[in-house]
Amino acid sequence: MVRLCTGLVAVVLLASAAPAQASAPSRFQRFDTMSVFRNTSAGGHTAAEIAAATADGRLVVYTDSPGRRIGFAKTGSKLTPDGVLAMPGEPTSVDIVGNLALVAVNTSESFTAPSGSLLVVDLKSRKVVASHELGGQPDSIDISKDGRYAAIAIENERDEDVNGGAIPQAPGGFLTIVDIRQDPAKWQLRKVELTGIAEVAPGDPEPEYVSINGRNQVAVTLQENNHIAIVDLKSGRITKHFSAGSATVRNVDTEDDGKFDPSETVTAAREPDAVAWLDDHTLGTADEGDYLGGSRTWTVFDADSGKVVFSSGNDLQQIAVRQGQYPDGRSDNKGVEPEGLAVATFGRDKYAFVGLERANLVAVYDVNNPRKPRFLQALPTGVGPEGLLPIPATNTLVVAAEEDSAEDGIRSSLSGYELTRTPLAVSLQRNQGTPSIVSDGISFGALSGLSGIPGNYRDVVSVTDAAYTPTRILTIDTVQAPAKVRKALTLTKDGKPAGYDGEGIAARHKGGYWIAVEGDGKQKPNLLLEVAANGAVTKEIPLPEAVAKTATSNGFEGVTTTGHGKNEQVWLAVQREWKADKTGQATLARYTPATGEWAFAAYPLDAPQAGAWIGLSEITALNDRTLLVLERDNQRGDAARTKKVFRVDISTLKPVTAGAEKPVVTKKLAEDLVPALKADGAATHDKPEGLAVIGTWPLQRLVGVVDNDGLEDAPGESVFLRLGWVR
């Protein structure tokens, strides 16, 4: 039960505008996210990089390089931590055959003295049962489908601090073939030289990634050499090798400037990282780029001829844009940066999964025709998706995201996705399924404020914050599922595009908008903007000087209106305590346009948990007597506790002028947002910052959005919350 206004009320699920389908195409839906520190401790640094699963799919093993260990997780309706095992160095890759995990471990003393071991772990006893010296620093490992061979890329990676990272740098890497036998201690290792075949640095091949097909041929990417080699595992002979070539990609953004401008053309060497066979004659590459290039693409090659049969062009960029996860900060350096690639067959359908390291997405393609991949969907992940693990035995996909920074609230994770036929529109009724908000090509993100539109029962408007410039007002269709950004209006000042840190928006009855601009407590003041319907800023309204001088960097975070015409009043929420405020009290400010007067009241914040703070991030009017205030802590994932909507009765409230003792409002809990934020298996988002009431009593709906911080030190998922009808 939810009490949004006086009397007994309930919020029920929003019915989709689209009818449920009797039969729907299969799609992947996230069901859980497990922070891998749960296998150790919250204070430690950890990273899930590459993962493998047992044949039945019930156990996942992942590498944890900074922790010098491998970790275990059980699968099911949830991903459950199941312990760790120490390694004698940094594990770089893992694969599983039968009940044995093969772990490639880097034990190098330096770049010039590389070394490594292949450790064989019995998964029942969780003990190392054999160890083999590799003679160099390993990277990727793959096991043949028949279990007879393993292939290991011995990279002997370059030192990027030497000569600007230019190659060659001795010693050169190579390929190791492992002949797997019943007794792991008696396995034979064979060395395959890869020197002398590439044009870039033939003496320093830098093998990066391996993948074995059904004919026991291994494809090896020589990333910095921009080359691909194919080796027969039985004989150890190179049967084919060819350059990965370059790609020309048009209509891409190449400037890190806070705006999406797809007006440039990039021609660059592919320099592929991951490689995967689509069938025995066709292979795909994730063209991450590194030393010289980065074409922002993924590519399919005819392995017999070395010819390109498919290139994604600017598709991966467009996918990220449409899903509100384009990393503008990487526009000048490889963009979305495709890095991971995996291919697997689920039932009768074959899928390719392409990991976009900087967009925190996995693009899913139908590759039933390997020469004509067809994009299906994009899956949000943790920060830095590295390991892509399809598990057909359980109809799931597990993604290992490696970035981990407890200080920034970013934790390395395993995310699980299940193959389902439930239509996305049906799942979104329960805040499940992704994406929850899209566009037709309008770039969006950093949705920090939200407002209903008087007289409009379909749309809301949002405002972008300082993550992007210039500031834009986005119109969002809430009836479609997913919600759709259908229009963007640029703010202008004196006829020129203007950039503000817009943190709140309120659509006015007579047209136009109020926008709350957060100041920094120093050079930039907190401002209330009056904005015309065409986006022109007509007035910048500062706080009274006596109040403004008490401001900190935690300023305006929301704005709404009550009344209209001569009775219009503008209410703003200040995020946290200012210098003159009592501990645990934020401020609600009221501005009366008809008189230009400011008045203030105090808002009592919940007490934060240890190591956190709590503040306000949105304010919206339910009616002229009741405000809804969104209060949240600054924590995400497992540490998140407070993401709540409170109801504040202002019918008898008498705010005071600057300097007077502020009355303290009374708040009542209306809605805990944590269940909605976790409903589709995501790690709890830290910044629900937009809340809007659509329609008028008795037909009112409540919706919300999450600020993705423009993907800066954040997972970057754009989230639209459907919080139901208000009865």
Side-chain angles (χ1 to χ4, degrees):
M1 305 301 288
V2 180
R3 301 183 184 278
L4 290 176
C5 49
T6 56
L8 185 64
V9 298
V11 171
V12 298
L13 295 173
L14 170 63
S16 168
Q21 303 173 36
S23 179
S26 296
R27 63 181 181 84
F28 288 87
Q29 177 170 306
R30 182 173 50 202
F31 65 87
D32 193 26
T33 298
M34 185 194 99
S35 296
V36 297
F37 75 76
R38 292 173 56 199
N39 253 332
T40 52
S41 65
H45 181 60
T46 187
E49 187 175 5
I50 302 298
T54 52
D56 63 5
R58 297 301 177 186
L59 180 69
V60 169
V61 183
Y62 63 87
T63 61
D64 180 355
S65 177
R68 298 168 69 93
R69 60 199 166 210
I70 57 173
F72 304 92
K74 292 181 179 179
T75 66
S77 59
K78 295 284 186 181
L79 295 168
T80 307
D82 196 37
V84 297
L85 179 65
M87 294 283 110
E90 300 178 359
T92 59
S93 189
V94 62
D95 205 354
I96 294 174
V97 57
N99 196 49
L100 300 175
L102 280 63
V103 187
V105 180
N106 175 19
T107 59
S108 303
E109 294 181 0
S110 67
F111 290 102
T112 57
S115 63
S117 300
L118 172 64
L119 268 62
V120 185
V121 177
D122 183 290
L123 293 176
K124 290 183 178 179
S125 65
R126 302 281 174 92
K127 292 181 179 180
V128 175
V129 294
S131 178
H132 302 274
E133 292 303 308
L134 294 172
Q137 170 255 315
D139 197 332
S140 169
I141 184 171
D142 193 25
I143 297 174
S144 62
K145 295 177 178 61
D146 60 13
R148 295 175 60 191
Y149 305 102
I152 306 172
I154 307 299
E155 182 178 12
N156 292 348
E157 64 181 337
R158 61 195 169 95
D159 186 344
E160 296 185 21
D161 293 328
V162 173
N163 196 24
I167 54 175
Q169 290 184 19
F174 51 91
L175 175 72
T176 290
I177 298 173
V178 182
D179 295 313
I180 297 175
R181 301 293 182 262
Q182 186 172 2
D183 183 353
K186 296 181 180 180
W187 291 356
Q188 298 297 311
L189 277 64
R190 293 179 281 137
K191 182 178 181 180
V192 179
E193 294 287 358
L194 299 171
T195 56
I197 62 175
E199 295 179 2
V200 176
D204 184 15
E206 300 260 347
E208 181 75 22
Y209 210 92
V210 291
S211 178
I212 301 173
N213 67 9
R215 297 191 295 170
N216 282 341
Q217 296 173 317
V218 58
V220 189
T221 55
L222 314 182
Q223 185 169 8
E224 287 82 358
N225 282 246
N226 195 37
H227 211 78
I228 298 169
I230 298 174
V231 177
D232 177 73
L233 290 173
K234 182 178 180 180
S235 66
R237 292 189 304 107
I238 298 174
T239 59
K240 182 74 177 179
H241 68 88
F242 50 89
S243 170
S246 62
T248 296
V249 184
R250 296 174 176 81
N251 300 319
V252 295
D253 187 359
T254 60
E255 297 292 332
D256 173 11
D257 55 5
K259 61 183 177 182
F260 180 65
D261 180 16
S263 60
E264 298 298 323
T265 297
V266 169
T267 298
R270 291 185 170 90
E271 291 192 344
D273 187 328
V275 61
W277 292 91
L278 279 67
D279 61 23
D280 285 347
H281 300 274
T282 315
L283 58 86
T285 58
D287 308 326
E288 180 190 21
D290 195 341
Y291 176 52
L292 296 174
S295 57
R296 312 169 188 226
T297 59
W298 80 283
T299 304
V300 179
F301 295 89
D302 181 309
D304 298 324
S305 67
K307 292 182 179 180
V308 173
V309 296
F310 167 84
S311 177
S312 62
N314 67 8
D315 285 358
L316 300 178
Q317 171 186 270
Q318 291 300 317
I319 289 165
V321 168
R322 290 194 298 267
Q323 204 147 315
Q325 287 185 233
Y326 178 72
D328 180 75
R330 299 291 298 182
S331 290
D332 60 340
N333 187 12
K334 297 182 286 187
V336 297
E337 201 165 322
E339 181 178 16
L341 179 65
V343 176
T345 299
F346 289 74
R348 294 179 297 177
D349 294 314
K350 184 175 288 187
Y351 299 91
F353 305 91
V354 185
L356 310 184
E357 183 182 13
R358 301 296 178 172
N360 303 332
L361 287 171
V362 171
V364 184
Y365 285 80
D366 169 349
V367 289
N368 286 309
N369 182 341
R371 294 170 180 252
K372 294 183 179 180
R374 182 172 63 92
F375 172 70
L376 297 175
Q377 66 179 127
L379 304 171
T381 70
V383 179
E386 177 82 11
L388 312 182
L389 175 62
I391 312 177
T394 54
N395 265 353
T396 57
L397 168 74
V398 171
V399 176
E402 64 175 334
E403 287 297 317
D404 189 79
S405 172
E407 182 177 300
D408 296 320
I410 295 170
R411 304 316 306 252
S412 178
S413 64
L414 297 176
S415 294
Y417 309 80
E418 63 178 341
L419 192 60
T420 178
R421 296 186 70 86
T422 302
L424 177 59
V426 173
S427 294
L428 290 175
Q429 295 176 22
R430 306 176 183 90
N431 290 306
Q432 296 171 343
T434 57
S436 57
I437 181 169
V438 296
S439 78
D440 279 334
I442 297 172
S443 64
F444 71 100
L447 305 177
S448 58
L450 204 63
S451 172
I453 304 171
N456 186 327
Y457 287 74
R458 186 180 191 103
D459 299 328
V460 294
V461 287
S462 184
V463 63
T464 58
D465 66 18
Y468 300 110
T469 188
T471 303
R472 293 176 301 151
I473 296 172
L474 304 175
T475 301
I476 302 169
D477 183 337
T478 70
V479 174
Q480 294 199 51
K484 180 175 283 188
V485 178
R486 65 175 186 84
K487 186 168 63 174
L489 176 66
T490 298
L491 257 63
T492 60
K493 182 181 179 182
D494 301 326
K496 298 179 180 179
Y500 297 91
D501 189 5
E503 293 289 348
I505 185 169
R508 305 178 72 180
H509 282 266
K510 66 177 183 180
Y513 312 92
W514 295 107
I515 290 179
V517 176
E518 185 175 22
D520 60 7
K522 296 177 181 178
Q523 301 298 319
K524 297 180 180 179
N526 291 275
L527 295 173
L528 174 62
L529 302 184
E530 185 180 54
V531 180
N534 65 357
V537 177
T538 57
K539 191 180 295 185
E540 292 182 345
I541 305 167
L543 284 163
E545 184 177 355
V547 177
K549 69 181 183 181
T550 70
T552 68
S553 59
N554 300 109
F556 284 162
E557 278 289 330
V559 62
T560 191
T561 63
T562 57
H564 55 277
K566 293 182 179 180
N567 296 319
E568 183 183 33
Q569 291 184 324
V570 185
W571 293 84
L572 299 102
V574 173
Q575 187 175 57
R576 294 174 63 192
E577 303 98 328
W578 281 1
K579 297 172 186 176
D581 292 332
K582 295 179 180 179
T583 300
Q585 289 186 356
T587 296
L588 301 184
R590 187 188 70 187
Y591 176 75
T592 304
T595 63
E597 294 178 341
W598 285 93
F600 306 90
Y603 179 96
L605 298 167
D606 277 8
Q609 67 267 38
W613 56 255
I614 286 181
L616 307 183
S617 60
E618 177 66 298
I619 184 171
T620 191
L622 183 63
N623 51 50
D624 287 349
R625 305 175 307 282
T626 310
L627 302 178
L628 300 179
V629 179
L630 202 166
E631 191 173 340
R632 68 169 180 87
D633 58 23
N634 64 330
Q635 305 295 299
R636 63 165 61 98
D638 301 77
R641 297 289 182 275
T642 302
K643 319 289 181 185
K644 296 177 179 178
V645 179
F646 289 94
R647 176 170 56 87
V648 175
D649 185 348
I650 58 171
S651 61
T652 60
L653 181 65
K654 295 181 180 179
V656 297
T657 57
E661 182 75 16
K662 289 181 288 190
V664 181
V665 303
T666 300
K667 65 180 188 180
K668 294 183 179 180
L669 180 64
E671 180 93 350
D672 184 351
L673 297 183
V674 169
L677 292 169
K678 295 173 63 175
D680 78 332
T684 306
H685 305 280
D686 65 327
K687 286 190 173 182
E689 291 208 353
L691 196 67
V693 176
I694 305 171
T696 57
W697 182 261
L699 298 175
Q700 290 177 299
R701 290 185 287 128
L702 188 64
V703 297
V705 290
V706 169
D707 178 1
N708 75 349
D709 275 338
L711 281 87
E712 292 293 331
D713 296 323
E717 184 175 349
S718 287
V719 179
F720 184 86
L721 299 172
R722 300 172 184 270
L723 301 172
W725 292 101
V726 180
R727 286 185 180 176

